[in-house]
Amino acid sequence: MNSFEAQIAAALEATGTFSANAALKLISVPPDTTHGNFTIPCFSLAKTLRKAPKIIAEELAAQVKLPSGLSKVEAVNGYLNFFIDRSFLAKSTLEAIDAKGLDYGHADSNGKVVCIDFSSPNIGKELAFHHLRSTMIGNSLSRIYKAAGYKVERINHLGDWGTAFGKLIVMYLRENRPTDDATLDSLTVKELNILYASFSKISKEEPGLEDEARAAFTKLEQGDEFYRKLWTAFRAATLKELNRIYDMLGVSFDHYTGESFFEDKIPAILDELREKKLMVKSQELDVVMLDEFDLGPCLIRKSDGSTLYATRDLAAANYRKQEYNFDKCLYVVDLGQALHFKQVFHVLKKMGREWYKDMYHIPFGVILQLVDGKWEKGKTRTGTASLLRDVIEAAQKKILEFINEKNPDLENKEIIAREIGVSAITFNDLKNSRLKDVKFDWDAVMSFEGDTGPYVQNAHVRLCSIMRKAGYAVKLDEVDYAQLQDDNAYELIKVLARKGEKILAACNTDEPSVLAQYALEIAEYAHRFIHNDRVLGSAEEKSRLFLVQATQIVLENVLDLLGLFPIRQM
């Protein structure tokens, strides 16, 4: 559809009234198609042309040469309304979908590289439900950027370094747990989670425990062999569970380069900060002052020599630029870390890294759950967070009950139930602007009606069902596009034609909700077409089945770009 807008803009520029850029900014899609498929107001020309907008529109309607694919132009009360040739739109759109398949609407390679840092949980903890947002927003953006022509580097920047490991080591040794290889190999992340919660509770009664933890991490950072052995076991136990959950979610990464990976790269950053006289002492801490940017000092190193998040992020950014030569680097991290990333980016600027401008924090709101009657974010350290695996299992159970009632003989119903459940949770997370907090309500999330994942999945299932029942695929020379000009078919085709535009919009705004809303739009018009225009057994069967095929292909790929499982039966 973007090509129509560009062609209209060029046609208007040829009349000598609008510039193409000015026209593009004014062209819109009217909600009521009786006013055309595209409209442009002529009011901005009234002053320069010294004519009433109504007259300007009428004169332009007589002058403008209609681009291919548009059937007519009308002047109405100062507006120029353009109408698409329905047969042309059907033919051009459906044939393109047939030729490109799932890649319809995808851009060619642009030769650019984007690094996307997402999920990034802490080692030693189970994935809590609130980790879903970074994981699934980042997963979707990775797919969207690839569809927009980028080479994507998917990075899981694990929180596998820092004082938190001092806490785990202190608690592990305090409980006199065995440290032989067999015991450490069988360690589970659930056990580590309990240690975290225990530390949080005991440290309130024993303030000195915090000092022990800091000292333990300093020993770890300095290379203590025994502490490194414990740390390695903690990391391995966590990764085993993380990968199990990622498999359930359908999420993968190209790189697991956690904070520890950059340990040997930090000295070079510290040396450079010293050489450029950027690092100064402040209350026994090494900091970089950022007063000129109206930001507080960026903490680089503690008084005991231990590094901080910012130090490791500086080393990571430097490494990623050298290793991948990115054109963009995205950090999909919650809104609460906005100040941290501003500081890191501005330190890079002071270091002379011009590519700091290519780094972006992609913030998002939090998932809110009811805890003691109040909506709040759960906290893994205090044990009040729902675990992501528990939520996935509960969603699977709810969908399985529905399947057992409606289609008890369905093959692989446990796997399908899990995939529908995961998709329902993911869609609920992605359907609104990422900056909004998400209140999680089971009844709303699992409903097969309204703006939900199951509603969209059901549309895809219905399309697949029609194709299975037909038992054949339609060939191009069997399609009569004149049979696809009624309102139901036309409105659906018009939606399908916007796929490429929607992918680029989602990419340019780093906003998966653009595609989630698009999926709802496809589902709505698909349901309407199937309900009102009989497919199988109709005189227009082959033409309408061709539209069903095309819609299924587009919807399947849009679901995949969102990170949802395109279910074919339920």
Side-chain angles (χ1 to χ4, degrees):
M1 296 289 272
N2 263 338
S3 61
F4 279 125
E5 293 167 11
Q7 288 180 64
I8 291 170
L12 289 171
E13 185 174 58
T15 67
T17 50
F18 287 97
S19 71
N21 286 336
L24 274 174
K25 291 177 182 178
L26 292 171
I27 295 171
S28 63
V29 177
D32 183 353
T33 54
T34 61
H35 296 154
N37 302 109
F38 304 98
T39 187
I40 183 167
C42 299
F43 301 94
S44 61
L45 300 174
K47 187 174 181 180
T48 54
L49 297 181
R50 297 183 180 181
K51 294 179 182 178
K54 182 175 181 294
I55 294 173
I56 296 171
E58 289 170 350
E59 290 178 350
L60 283 175
Q63 294 175 35
V64 70
K65 184 177 180 181
L66 283 177
S68 178
L70 294 176
S71 59
K72 65 176 179 176
V73 58
E74 291 182 347
V76 180
N77 297 325
Y79 288 84
L80 272 178
N81 298 332
F82 293 85
F83 294 79
I84 291 175
D85 181 314
R86 293 189 177 193
S87 182
F88 177 92
L89 180 66
K91 187 176 190 300
S92 60
T93 301
L94 300 186
E95 288 186 356
I97 295 170
D98 185 69
K100 294 284 189 178
L102 296 173
D103 290 336
Y104 168 71
H106 291 204
D108 294 332
S109 172
N110 58 21
K112 295 182 178 180
V113 176
V114 60
C115 291
I116 305 183
D117 178 330
F118 66 103
S119 194
S120 307
N122 289 326
I123 292 295
K125 297 180 183 179
E126 292 187 83
L127 277 176
F129 188 31
H130 62 255
H131 288 116
L132 180 77
R133 295 224 73 191
S134 174
T135 304
M136 301 317 286
I137 291 171
N139 180 54
S140 180
L141 286 176
S142 297
R143 296 166 185 235
I144 289 167
Y145 267 87
K146 184 178 179 181
Y150 285 79
K151 183 180 186 301
V152 180
E153 302 290 348
R154 303 157 68 102
I155 300 170
N156 197 340
H157 186 70
L158 299 168
D160 62 356
W161 208 238
T163 306
F165 289 92
K167 296 178 181 180
L168 278 177
I169 290 170
V170 166
M171 290 306 300
Y172 192 88
L173 296 177
R174 184 185 178 108
E175 294 187 4
N176 295 311
R177 293 184 175 225
T179 58
D180 59 282
D181 291 345
T183 301
L184 290 176
D185 287 345
S186 63
L187 193 64
T188 67
V189 70
K190 186 175 182 180
E191 294 175 75
L192 298 178
N193 228 35
I194 293 171
L195 292 179
Y196 258 117
S198 297
F199 185 95
S200 180
K201 182 179 179 181
I202 296 172
S203 62
K204 292 176 182 176
E205 302 165 2
E206 301 178 27
L209 205 62
E210 293 282 358
D211 293 330
E212 288 185 46
R214 282 189 284 271
F217 175 62
T218 299
K219 285 183 67 176
L220 175 66
E221 199 168 28
Q222 291 171 349
D224 183 277
E225 186 175 344
F226 176 58
Y227 280 16
R228 289 286 174 115
K229 178 181 178 179
L230 293 178
W231 172 82
T232 300
F234 298 162
R235 192 178 190 275
T238 310
L239 280 174
K240 183 177 180 180
E241 176 64 8
L242 285 178
N243 285 320
R244 189 178 76 87
I245 301 299
Y246 288 141
D247 285 344
M248 288 184 183
L249 295 172
V251 173
S252 63
F253 297 90
D254 299 309
H255 313 283
Y256 282 88
T257 45
E259 293 179 279
S260 63
F261 178 81
F262 302 101
E263 180 192 5
D264 63 349
K265 298 165 183 59
I266 287 175
I269 295 293
L270 297 176
D271 289 344
E272 183 176 349
L273 289 172
R274 274 192 295 266
E275 289 169 7
K276 292 182 175 178
K277 295 181 170 45
L278 296 175
M279 192 163 65
V280 299
K281 284 286 185 185
S282 176
Q283 299 178 355
E284 299 186 0
L285 300 172
D286 288 322
V287 305
V288 173
M289 304 302 292
L290 299 171
D291 295 344
E292 66 268 44
F293 306 114
D294 293 324
L295 295 171
C298 182
L299 307 184
I300 300 297
R301 192 166 56 175
K302 299 178 185 178
S303 57
D304 62 7
S306 298
T307 55
L308 294 123
Y309 289 122
T311 330
R312 297 188 281 275
D313 277 342
L314 290 169
N318 210 51
Y319 171 82
R320 290 172 188 173
K321 184 61 180 177
Q322 292 173 354
E323 187 71 12
Y324 311 119
N325 193 26
F326 60 74
D327 295 275
K328 294 181 76 172
C329 184
L330 311 184
Y331 294 82
V332 187
V333 184
D334 71 71
L335 191 58
Q337 297 300 314
L339 176 59
H340 167 78
F341 285 107
K342 284 182 182 177
Q343 290 179 320
V344 169
F345 297 166
H346 281 87
V347 171
L348 287 168
K349 180 180 182 180
K350 293 188 74 165
M351 292 174 73
R353 305 297 197 272
E354 285 303 313
W355 43 263
Y356 85 94
K357 294 178 289 188
D358 302 322
M359 304 178 73
Y360 302 89
H361 175 210
I362 309 300
F364 54 84
V366 299
I367 292 180
L368 302 176
Q369 300 169 262
L370 274 175
V371 179
D372 297 327
K374 295 181 180 178
W375 289 101
E376 62 179 52
K377 175 185 174 183
K379 298 176 182 177
T380 47
R381 288 177 181 169
T382 58
T384 61
S386 293
L387 297 178
L388 184 50
R389 63 171 167 80
D390 291 341
V391 176
I392 292 172
E393 288 169 5
Q396 179 182 20
K397 182 179 178 182
K398 287 177 180 291
I399 297 296
L400 194 55
E401 289 172 356
F402 172 83
I403 291 175
N404 283 331
E405 179 186 343
K406 302 290 185 181
N407 190 8
D409 298 325
L410 179 66
E411 293 183 10
N412 301 316
K413 58 185 178 182
E414 287 81 9
I415 294 174
I416 290 173
R418 188 183 70 214
E419 291 181 344
I420 295 173
V422 166
S423 296
I425 294 165
T426 301
F427 192 84
N428 182 68
D429 190 89
L430 299 181
K431 69 180 181 180
N432 295 314
S433 166
R434 58 180 158 77
L435 289 173
K436 291 185 177 180
D437 290 344
V438 175
K439 288 184 177 180
F440 187 80
D441 182 319
W442 274 113
D443 291 338
V445 171
M446 294 292 148
S447 175
F448 279 80
E449 297 179 359
D451 297 348
T452 69
Y455 171 77
V456 175
Q457 293 278 23
N458 187 43
H460 187 257
V461 167
R462 289 184 72 189
L463 294 165
C464 291
S465 176
I466 291 172
M467 291 166 61
R468 264 196 316 276
K469 289 177 181 176
Y472 69 94
V474 181
K475 298 177 181 178
L476 281 176
D477 60 6
E478 297 177 308
V479 182
D480 180 357
Y481 296 103
Q483 295 177 337
L484 296 175
Q485 294 189 43
D486 66 279
D487 287 347
N488 296 312
Y490 169 63
E491 292 297 334
L492 176 55
I493 293 167
K494 195 168 65 168
V495 170
L496 301 182
R498 300 193 82 96
K499 184 187 173 194
E501 168 193 337
K502 295 294 184 180
I503 290 173
L504 289 178
C507 181
N508 291 337
T509 58
D510 297 307
E511 190 59 86
S513 65
V514 171
L515 283 185
Q517 292 300 318
Y518 181 53
L520 285 168
E521 196 175 2
I522 296 171
E524 177 187 349
Y525 284 103
H527 281 304
R528 189 179 300 175
F529 171 70
I530 293 168
H531 179 75
N532 293 305
D533 289 18
R534 182 182 175 188
V535 179
L536 302 182
S538 68
E540 302 86 1
E541 178 174 307
K542 289 187 176 180
S543 300
R544 289 178 177 174
L545 186 61
F546 194 61
L547 176 52
V548 167
Q549 283 178 200
T551 306
Q552 182 274 320
I553 289 170
V554 171
L555 186 52
E556 177 181 343
N557 186 239
V558 171
L559 291 174
D560 184 69
L561 292 175
L562 288 167
L564 276 61
F565 295 95
I567 305 301
R568 295 178 177 272
Q569 297 183 75
M570 67 169 65

